[in-house]
Coordinates of all heavy atoms in Angstrom, one line a residue:
M150 N 15.6 6.3 6.8 CA 15.4 4.9 6.3 C 14.8 5.0 4.9 O 14.0 5.8 4.6 CB 14.4 4.2 7.2 CG 14.4 2.7 7.0 SD 13.6 1.8 8.4 CE 12.3 2.7 9.0
L151 N 15.3 4.1 4.1 CA 14.9 4.0 2.7 C 14.0 2.8 2.4 O 14.2 1.7 3.0 CB 16.1 3.9 1.7 CG 17.0 5.1 1.6 CD1 18.3 4.8 0.9 CD2 16.2 6.3 1.0
P152 N 13.0 2.9 1.6 CA 12.2 1.7 1.2 C 13.1 0.7 0.5 O 14.1 1.1 -0.1 CB 11.1 2.3 0.4 CG 11.6 3.5 -0.2 CD 12.5 4.1 0.8
I153 N 12.6 -0.6 0.5 CA 13.4 -1.6 -0.1 C 13.5 -1.4 -1.7 O 14.5 -1.7 -2.3 CB 12.8 -3.0 0.2 CG1 13.1 -3.3 1.7 CG2 13.3 -4.1 -0.7 CD1 12.3 -4.5 2.2
S154 N 12.5 -0.9 -2.3 CA 12.5 -0.7 -3.7 C 12.0 0.7 -4.1 O 11.4 1.4 -3.2 CB 11.6 -1.8 -4.4 OG 10.2 -1.6 -4.0
T155 N 12.2 1.1 -5.3 CA 11.7 2.4 -5.7 C 10.7 2.1 -6.9 O 10.9 1.1 -7.7 CB 12.8 3.3 -6.2 OG1 13.6 2.6 -7.2 CG2 13.7 3.7 -5.1
P156 N 9.7 2.9 -7.0 CA 8.7 2.6 -8.1 C 9.1 3.0 -9.5 O 10.0 3.8 -9.6 CB 7.5 3.5 -7.6 CG 8.1 4.6 -6.9 CD 9.4 4.1 -6.3
S157 N 8.5 2.3 -10.4 CA 8.8 2.7 -11.8 C 7.8 3.8 -12.1 O 6.6 3.6 -12.1 CB 8.6 1.5 -12.7 OG 8.6 2.0 -14.1
T158 N 8.2 5.0 -12.3 CA 7.3 6.1 -12.5 C 7.0 6.3 -14.0 O 6.2 7.1 -14.4 CB 7.9 7.4 -11.9 OG1 9.2 7.6 -12.5 CG2 7.9 7.4 -10.4
A159 N 7.7 5.6 -14.9 CA 7.4 5.7 -16.3 C 6.0 5.0 -16.6 O 5.5 4.4 -15.7 CB 8.5 5.0 -17.1
S160 N 5.5 5.2 -17.8 CA 4.2 4.7 -18.1 C 4.1 3.2 -17.9 O 3.1 2.6 -17.7 CB 3.7 5.1 -19.5 OG 4.7 4.6 -20.4
A161 N 5.3 2.5 -18.1 CA 5.3 1.0 -18.0 C 5.0 0.6 -16.6 O 4.6 -0.6 -16.4 CB 6.7 0.5 -18.4
G162 N 5.2 1.5 -15.6 CA 4.9 1.1 -14.2 C 3.4 1.2 -13.8 O 3.0 0.8 -12.7
V163 N 2.6 1.8 -14.7 CA 1.2 2.1 -14.3 C 0.4 0.8 -14.3 O 0.6 -0.1 -15.1 CB 0.6 3.1 -15.4 CG1 -0.9 3.3 -15.1 CG2 1.3 4.4 -15.3
T164 N -0.4 0.7 -13.2 CA -1.2 -0.5 -13.1 C -2.2 -0.5 -14.3 O -2.9 0.5 -14.6 CB -2.0 -0.5 -11.8 OG1 -1.0 -0.4 -10.7 CG2 -2.8 -1.7 -11.6
G165 N -2.4 -1.7 -14.9 CA -3.4 -1.8 -16.0 C -4.8 -2.1 -15.4 O -5.1 -1.9 -14.2
T166 N -5.6 -2.7 -16.3 CA -7.0 -3.0 -15.9 C -7.1 -4.3 -15.2 O -8.1 -4.8 -14.8 CB -7.9 -3.0 -17.1 OG1 -7.4 -3.9 -18.0 CG2 -8.0 -1.6 -17.7
W167 N -5.9 -5.0 -15.1 CA -5.9 -6.4 -14.6 C -5.9 -6.5 -13.0 O -6.1 -7.5 -12.5 CB -4.7 -7.1 -15.1 CG -3.4 -6.3 -15.1 CD1 -2.9 -5.6 -16.1 CD2 -2.6 -6.0 -13.9 NE1 -1.7 -4.9 -15.7 CE2 -1.5 -5.2 -14.4 CE3 -2.6 -6.4 -12.6 CZ2 -0.5 -4.7 -13.5 CZ3 -1.5 -6.0 -11.8 CH2 -0.5 -5.2 -12.2
R168 N -5.7 -5.4 -12.3 CA -5.7 -5.5 -10.8 C -7.1 -5.9 -10.4 O -8.1 -5.3 -10.7 CB -5.3 -4.1 -10.2 CG -5.1 -4.3 -8.7 CD -4.7 -2.9 -8.1 NE -5.7 -1.9 -8.3 CZ -5.4 -0.6 -8.3 NH1 -4.2 -0.2 -8.0 NH2 -6.3 0.3 -8.5
T169 N -7.2 -6.9 -9.6 CA -8.5 -7.4 -9.1 C -8.8 -7.0 -7.7 O -10.0 -7.0 -7.3 CB -8.6 -9.0 -9.2 OG1 -7.4 -9.5 -8.6 CG2 -8.5 -9.4 -10.7
Y170 N -7.8 -6.8 -6.9 CA -8.0 -6.3 -5.5 C -7.1 -5.1 -5.2 O -6.0 -5.0 -5.8 CB -7.6 -7.4 -4.5 CG -8.7 -8.5 -4.4 CD1 -8.7 -9.6 -5.3 CD2 -9.6 -8.5 -3.4 CE1 -9.6 -10.6 -5.2 CE2 -10.6 -9.5 -3.3 CZ -10.6 -10.5 -4.2 OH -11.5 -11.5 -4.1
K171 N -7.7 -4.2 -4.4 CA -6.8 -3.1 -4.0 C -6.8 -2.9 -2.5 O -7.8 -3.3 -1.8 CB -7.3 -1.8 -4.7 CG -8.6 -1.2 -4.3 CD -8.8 0.0 -5.1 CE -9.8 0.9 -4.5 NZ -10.0 2.1 -5.3
P172 N -5.7 -2.5 -1.9 CA -5.6 -2.3 -0.5 C -6.2 -1.1 0.0 O -6.1 0.0 -0.6 CB -4.1 -2.3 -0.3 CG -3.5 -1.7 -1.6 CD -4.4 -2.1 -2.7
V173 N -7.0 -1.2 1.1 CA -7.7 0.0 1.7 C -7.2 0.0 3.1 O -7.4 -1.0 3.9 CB -9.2 -0.1 1.5 CG1 -9.9 1.0 2.3 CG2 -9.6 -0.2 0.1
V174 N -6.7 1.1 3.6 CA -6.2 1.3 4.9 C -7.3 1.7 5.9 O -7.9 2.7 5.6 CB -5.0 2.2 5.0 CG1 -4.4 2.3 6.4 CG2 -3.9 1.8 4.0
N175 N -7.4 1.0 7.0 CA -8.3 1.5 8.0 C -7.5 2.3 9.0 O -6.8 1.7 9.9 CB -8.9 0.2 8.7 CG -9.9 0.6 9.8 OD1 -9.9 1.8 10.3 ND2 -10.8 -0.3 10.2
L176 N -7.6 3.6 8.9 CA -6.7 4.4 9.7 C -7.1 4.4 11.2 O -6.3 4.8 12.1 CB -6.8 5.9 9.2 CG -6.2 6.1 7.8 CD1 -6.5 7.5 7.3 CD2 -4.7 5.8 7.8
Q177 N -8.3 3.9 11.6 CA -8.6 3.7 13.0 C -7.8 2.6 13.6 O -7.5 2.7 14.8 CB -10.1 3.4 13.1 CG -11.1 4.3 12.4 CD -11.1 5.7 13.0 OE1 -10.8 5.9 14.1 NE2 -11.5 6.6 12.1
K178 N -7.4 1.6 12.8 CA -6.7 0.5 13.4 C -5.2 0.7 13.2 O -4.4 0.1 14.0 CB -7.0 -0.8 12.5 CG -8.3 -1.5 12.9 CD -8.3 -2.8 12.1 CE -9.5 -3.6 12.3 NZ -9.4 -4.8 11.5
C179 N -4.7 1.5 12.3 CA -3.3 1.7 12.0 C -2.5 2.2 13.2 O -3.0 3.1 13.9 CB -3.2 2.7 10.9 SG -1.4 3.2 10.5
I180 N -1.4 1.5 13.5 CA -0.6 1.9 14.7 C 0.7 2.7 14.2 O 1.7 2.8 15.0 CB -0.2 0.7 15.6 CG1 0.5 -0.4 14.7 CG2 -1.5 0.2 16.2 CD1 1.1 -1.5 15.6
D181 N 0.8 3.1 12.9 CA 1.8 3.9 12.4 C 3.2 3.3 12.5 O 4.2 3.9 12.7 CB 1.8 5.2 13.3 CG 2.3 6.4 12.5 OD1 2.4 6.3 11.3 OD2 2.7 7.4 13.1
C182 N 3.2 2.0 12.2 CA 4.5 1.3 12.3 C 5.4 1.4 11.0 O 6.6 1.2 11.1 CB 4.3 -0.2 12.6 SG 3.6 -1.1 11.2
G183 N 4.8 1.6 9.9 CA 5.5 1.8 8.6 C 5.9 0.5 7.9 O 6.6 0.6 6.9
L184 N 5.5 -0.6 8.4 CA 5.9 -1.9 7.8 C 5.3 -2.0 6.3 O 6.0 -2.5 5.4 CB 5.4 -3.1 8.6 CG 6.3 -3.4 9.8 CD1 5.7 -4.6 10.6 CD2 7.7 -3.7 9.4
C185 N 4.1 -1.5 6.1 CA 3.5 -1.6 4.8 C 4.4 -0.8 3.8 O 4.7 -1.2 2.7 CB 2.1 -1.1 4.8 SG 1.9 0.5 5.5
W186 N 4.8 0.4 4.2 CA 5.7 1.2 3.4 C 7.0 0.5 3.1 O 7.5 0.6 2.0 CB 5.9 2.5 4.2 CG 7.0 3.4 3.7 CD1 6.9 4.3 2.7 CD2 8.3 3.5 4.3 NE1 8.1 5.0 2.6 CE2 9.0 4.5 3.5 CE3 9.0 2.8 5.3 CZ2 10.3 4.8 3.7 CZ3 10.3 3.2 5.5 CH2 11.0 4.1 4.7
L187 N 7.5 -0.1 4.2 CA 8.9 -0.8 4.0 C 8.8 -1.9 3.0 O 9.7 -2.1 2.2 CB 9.3 -1.3 5.4 CG 10.7 -1.8 5.5 CD1 11.8 -0.7 5.2 CD2 11.0 -2.4 6.9
Y188 N 7.7 -2.7 3.1 CA 7.7 -4.0 2.3 C 7.0 -3.8 0.9 O 7.1 -4.8 0.1 CB 7.0 -5.1 3.1 CG 8.0 -5.7 4.1 CD1 8.0 -5.2 5.4 CD2 8.9 -6.6 3.7 CE1 8.8 -5.8 6.4 CE2 9.8 -7.1 4.7 CZ 9.8 -6.7 6.0 OH 10.6 -7.2 6.9
C189 N 6.3 -2.8 0.6 CA 5.6 -2.7 -0.7 C 6.6 -2.8 -1.8 O 7.5 -2.0 -1.9 CB 4.9 -1.3 -0.8 SG 4.2 -1.1 -2.4
P190 N 6.5 -3.8 -2.7 CA 7.5 -4.0 -3.7 C 7.5 -2.9 -4.8 O 8.4 -2.7 -5.5 CB 7.2 -5.4 -4.3 CG 5.7 -5.5 -4.0 CD 5.5 -4.8 -2.7
E191 N 6.4 -2.1 -4.8 CA 6.3 -1.1 -5.8 C 6.6 0.3 -5.2 O 6.7 1.3 -5.9 CB 4.9 -1.0 -6.4 CG 4.4 -2.3 -7.1 CD 5.3 -2.7 -8.3 OE1 5.8 -1.7 -9.0 OE2 5.4 -3.9 -8.6
S192 N 6.8 0.3 -3.9 CA 7.1 1.6 -3.2 C 6.0 2.6 -3.5 O 6.4 3.8 -3.8 CB 8.5 2.1 -3.5 OG 8.9 3.0 -2.6
V193 N 4.8 2.2 -3.4 CA 3.7 3.2 -3.8 C 3.0 3.7 -2.5 O 2.0 4.4 -2.6 CB 2.7 2.6 -4.8 CG1 3.4 2.3 -6.1 CG2 2.1 1.3 -4.2
I194 N 3.5 3.2 -1.3 CA 2.9 3.6 -0.1 C 3.6 4.8 0.5 O 4.9 4.8 0.6 CB 2.8 2.5 0.9 CG1 1.9 1.4 0.4 CG2 2.3 3.0 2.3 CD1 1.8 0.2 1.3
D195 N 2.9 5.9 0.8 CA 3.5 7.1 1.3 C 3.3 7.0 2.8 O 2.1 6.9 3.3 CB 2.9 8.3 0.7 CG 3.6 9.6 1.0 OD1 4.8 9.5 1.3 OD2 3.1 10.7 0.9
W196 N 4.3 7.1 3.6 CA 4.2 7.0 5.0 C 5.3 7.8 5.7 O 6.5 7.7 5.2 CB 4.3 5.5 5.5 CG 4.4 5.4 7.0 CD1 3.4 5.5 7.9 CD2 5.6 5.3 7.8 NE1 3.9 5.4 9.2 CE2 5.3 5.3 9.1 CE3 7.0 5.2 7.4 CZ2 6.2 5.1 10.1 CZ3 7.9 5.0 8.4 CH2 7.5 5.0 9.8
E197 N 5.0 8.5 6.7 CA 6.0 9.1 7.6 C 5.4 9.1 9.0 O 4.2 9.3 9.1 CB 6.3 10.5 7.2 CG 7.7 10.7 6.7 CD 8.0 12.1 6.3 OE1 8.2 12.9 7.2 OE2 8.0 12.4 5.1
K198 N 6.2 8.9 10.0 CA 5.7 8.8 11.4 C 4.8 10.0 11.7 O 5.2 11.1 11.4 CB 6.9 8.8 12.3 CG 6.6 8.2 13.7 CD 6.6 6.7 13.7 CE 6.2 6.2 15.1 NZ 5.7 4.8 15.0
G199 N 3.6 9.8 12.2 CA 2.7 10.8 12.5 C 1.8 11.3 11.4 O 1.0 12.2 11.6
Q200 N 2.0 10.8 10.2 CA 1.2 11.2 9.1 C 0.4 10.0 8.6 O 0.7 8.8 8.8 CB 2.0 11.7 7.9 CG 2.7 13.0 8.2 CD 3.5 13.5 7.0 OE1 3.4 13.0 5.9 NE2 4.3 14.6 7.2
K201 N -0.7 10.3 7.9 CA -1.6 9.2 7.4 C -0.9 8.4 6.3 O -0.2 8.9 5.5 CB -2.9 9.8 6.8 CG -3.8 10.3 7.9 CD -5.2 10.6 7.3 CE -5.2 11.7 6.2 NZ -6.5 12.1 5.8
V202 N -1.1 7.1 6.4 CA -0.7 6.2 5.3 C -1.5 6.5 4.0 O -2.8 6.5 4.1 CB -0.8 4.7 5.7 CG1 -0.5 3.8 4.5 CG2 0.1 4.4 6.9
T203 N -0.9 6.7 2.9 CA -1.7 6.8 1.7 C -1.0 5.9 0.6 O 0.2 5.6 0.6 CB -1.7 8.3 1.1 OG1 -0.4 8.7 1.0 CG2 -2.5 9.2 2.1
I204 N -1.9 5.4 -0.3 CA -1.4 4.5 -1.3 C -1.7 5.1 -2.7 O -2.8 5.6 -3.0 CB -2.2 3.2 -1.2 CG1 -1.8 2.5 0.2 CG2 -1.8 2.2 -2.3 CD1 -2.6 1.3 0.5
D205 N -0.7 5.1 -3.6 CA -0.9 5.6 -4.9 C -1.4 4.4 -5.8 O -0.7 3.6 -6.2 CB 0.5 6.1 -5.5 CG 0.4 6.7 -6.8 OD1 -0.7 6.5 -7.5 OD2 1.3 7.3 -7.3
Y206 N -2.7 4.5 -6.0 CA -3.4 3.4 -6.8 C -3.0 3.4 -8.3 O -3.2 2.4 -9.0 CB -4.9 3.5 -6.6 CG -5.3 3.2 -5.2 CD1 -6.0 4.2 -4.5 CD2 -5.1 2.0 -4.6 CE1 -6.4 3.9 -3.2 CE2 -5.5 1.7 -3.3 CZ -6.2 2.7 -2.6 OH -6.6 2.4 -1.3
T207 N -2.4 4.5 -8.7 CA -2.0 4.5 -10.1 C -0.9 3.4 -10.4 O -0.8 2.8 -11.5 CB -1.4 5.9 -10.5 OG1 -2.4 6.8 -10.2 CG2 -1.0 5.9 -12.0
F208 N -0.1 3.2 -9.4 CA 1.0 2.2 -9.5 C 0.9 1.0 -8.7 O 1.7 0.0 -8.9 CB 2.4 2.9 -9.2 CG 2.7 4.1 -10.1 CD1 2.5 5.4 -9.7 CD2 3.2 3.8 -11.4 CE1 2.8 6.4 -10.6 CE2 3.5 4.8 -12.3 CZ 3.3 6.2 -11.9
C209 N 0.0 0.9 -7.7 CA -0.3 -0.3 -6.9 C -0.7 -1.4 -7.8 O -1.6 -1.3 -8.6 CB -1.3 0.0 -5.8 SG -2.0 -1.4 -5.0
K210 N -0.1 -2.6 -7.5 CA -0.4 -3.8 -8.4 C -1.4 -4.7 -7.7 O -1.7 -5.8 -8.2 CB 0.9 -4.5 -8.7 CG 2.0 -3.7 -9.4 CD 1.4 -3.2 -10.8 CE 2.5 -2.4 -11.6 NZ 2.8 -1.1 -11.1
G211 N -1.7 -4.4 -6.4 CA -2.7 -5.2 -5.7 C -2.2 -6.6 -5.3 O -2.9 -7.5 -5.1
C212 N -0.9 -6.6 -5.0 CA -0.2 -7.9 -4.6 C -0.7 -8.3 -3.2 O -0.6 -9.5 -2.9 CB 1.3 -7.8 -4.7 SG 2.0 -6.6 -3.5
G213 N -1.0 -7.4 -2.3 CA -1.5 -7.8 -1.0 C -0.4 -8.0 0.1 O -0.7 -8.3 1.2
I214 N 0.8 -7.7 -0.3 CA 1.9 -7.8 0.7 C 1.7 -6.9 1.8 O 2.0 -7.2 3.0 CB 3.3 -7.6 0.0 CG1 3.6 -8.8 -1.0 CG2 4.4 -7.4 1.0 CD1 4.8 -8.6 -1.9
C215 N 1.3 -5.7 1.5 CA 1.1 -4.7 2.6 C 0.1 -5.2 3.6 O 0.3 -5.1 4.8 CB 0.6 -3.4 2.0 SG -0.8 -3.5 1.0
A216 N -1.0 -5.8 3.1 CA -2.0 -6.4 4.0 C -1.4 -7.5 4.9 O -1.7 -7.7 6.0 CB -3.2 -6.8 3.2
D217 N -0.6 -8.4 4.2 CA 0.0 -9.5 4.9 C 1.0 -9.1 6.0 O 1.0 -9.7 7.1 CB 0.8 -10.4 3.9 CG -0.1 -11.3 3.1 OD1 -1.3 -11.4 3.5 OD2 0.4 -11.8 2.1
V218 N 1.7 -8.0 5.8 CA 2.7 -7.6 6.8 C 2.2 -6.7 7.9 O 2.8 -6.6 8.9 CB 4.0 -7.0 6.2 CG1 4.7 -7.9 5.2 CG2 3.6 -5.6 5.5
C219 N 1.0 -6.2 7.7 CA 0.5 -5.2 8.7 C 0.2 -6.0 10.0 O -0.6 -7.0 10.0 CB -0.8 -4.6 8.2 SG -1.6 -3.5 9.4
P220 N 0.8 -5.6 11.1 CA 0.7 -6.4 12.3 C -0.7 -6.3 13.0 O -1.0 -7.1 13.9 CB 1.8 -5.8 13.3 CG 1.9 -4.4 12.7 CD 1.7 -4.5 11.2
V221 N -1.5 -5.3 12.6 CA -2.8 -5.2 13.3 C -3.9 -5.3 12.3 O -5.1 -5.0 12.5 CB -2.9 -3.8 14.0 CG1 -2.0 -3.7 15.2 CG2 -2.7 -2.6 13.0
K222 N -3.6 -5.9 11.1 CA -4.6 -6.1 10.0 C -5.4 -4.9 9.7 O -6.7 -4.9 9.7 CB -5.5 -7.3 10.4 CG -4.8 -8.6 10.6 CD -4.1 -9.0 9.4 CE -3.1 -10.2 9.5 NZ -2.0 -10.2 8.6
A223 N -4.7 -3.8 9.5 CA -5.4 -2.5 9.2 C -5.6 -2.3 7.7 O -6.2 -1.3 7.3 CB -4.6 -1.3 9.8
I224 N -5.1 -3.2 6.9 CA -5.3 -3.1 5.5 C -6.1 -4.2 5.0 O -5.8 -5.4 5.2 CB -3.9 -3.1 4.8 CG1 -3.0 -1.9 5.3 CG2 -4.1 -3.0 3.3 CD1 -1.7 -1.9 4.7
D225 N -7.2 -3.9 4.3 CA -8.1 -4.9 3.7 C -7.9 -4.9 2.2 O -7.8 -3.8 1.6 CB -9.6 -4.5 4.0 CG -9.9 -4.7 5.5 OD1 -9.5 -5.7 6.1 OD2 -10.7 -3.8 6.0
M226 N -7.9 -6.1 1.6 CA -7.8 -6.2 0.2 C -9.3 -6.3 -0.3 O -10.0 -7.2 0.0 CB -7.0 -7.4 -0.3 CG -5.6 -7.4 0.1 SD -4.7 -5.9 -0.5 CE -4.6 -6.2 -2.2
V227 N -9.7 -5.2 -1.0 CA -11.1 -5.1 -1.4 C -11.2 -5.3 -3.0 O -10.4 -4.8 -3.7 CB -11.5 -3.6 -1.1 CG1 -13.0 -3.4 -1.6 CG2 -11.4 -3.4 0.4
P228 N -12.2 -6.1 -3.4 CA -12.4 -6.3 -4.8 C -12.4 -5.0 -5.6 O -13.1 -4.0 -5.1 CB -13.7 -7.1 -4.9 CG -13.8 -7.8 -3.6 CD -13.2 -6.8 -2.6
E229 N -11.7 -4.9 -6.7 CA -11.7 -3.7 -7.5 C -13.1 -3.3 -7.9 O -13.9 -4.1 -8.3 CB -10.9 -4.0 -8.8 CG -10.4 -2.8 -9.5 CD -9.3 -2.0 -8.7 OE1 -8.4 -2.6 -8.1 OE2 -9.5 -0.8 -8.6
G230 N -13.4 -2.0 -7.7 CA -14.7 -1.5 -8.1 C -15.7 -1.4 -7.0 O -16.7 -0.8 -7.1
E231 N -15.3 -2.0 -5.8 CA -16.2 -2.0 -4.7 C -16.2 -0.6 -3.9 O -17.1 -0.2 -3.3 CB -15.9 -3.1 -3.7 CG -16.8 -4.3 -3.9 CD -16.8 -5.3 -2.8 OE1 -16.5 -5.0 -1.7 OE2 -17.2 -6.4 -3.1
L232 N -15.0 0.0 -4.0 CA -14.8 1.3 -3.3 C -14.4 2.4 -4.3 O -13.7 2.1 -5.2 CB -13.8 1.2 -2.2 CG -14.2 0.7 -0.9 CD1 -13.1 0.7 0.1 CD2 -15.4 1.4 -0.3
Ligands
LIG613 S1 -1.0 -4.2 -2.8 FE1 1.2 -4.5 -3.2 S2 1.7 -2.9 -4.6 FE2 -0.2 -2.3 -3.7 S3 0.4 -1.0 -1.9 FE3 0.1 -3.1 -1.2 S4 2.2 -4.0 -1.3 FE4 2.2 -2.2 -2.6
LIG614 S1 1.6 -1.8 8.4 FE1 -0.5 -1.5 9.1 S2 -0.2 -0.5 11.2 FE2 1.7 -0.3 10.1 S3 1.7 1.7 9.1 FE3 0.9 0.2 7.6 S4 -1.3 0.2 7.8 FE4 -0.4 1.2 9.7

């Protein structure tokens, strides 16, 4: 299965200082469904069945789509700088 989009790996794709919230995955709640990986418009979520979800914050834009689509609310949008 392929993600819907692919990330821009050039410097233009790097998140600036403007991101105000960032997604934090609660792995205790995660049911390994892969929806966050599928819907992330930047394709910065690394996921494979049986492996931990990880997010590349260098390219994450903080849009919150991953948190919205997570069926068990395992992703919290945390104010930048809190974690
Ligand atoms: S906040 Fe947006 S860009 Fe960042 S991982 Fe979630 S869906 Fe992708
Ligand atoms: S959408 Fe939620 S439950 Fe599914 S893999 Fe992502 S964090 Fe885990």
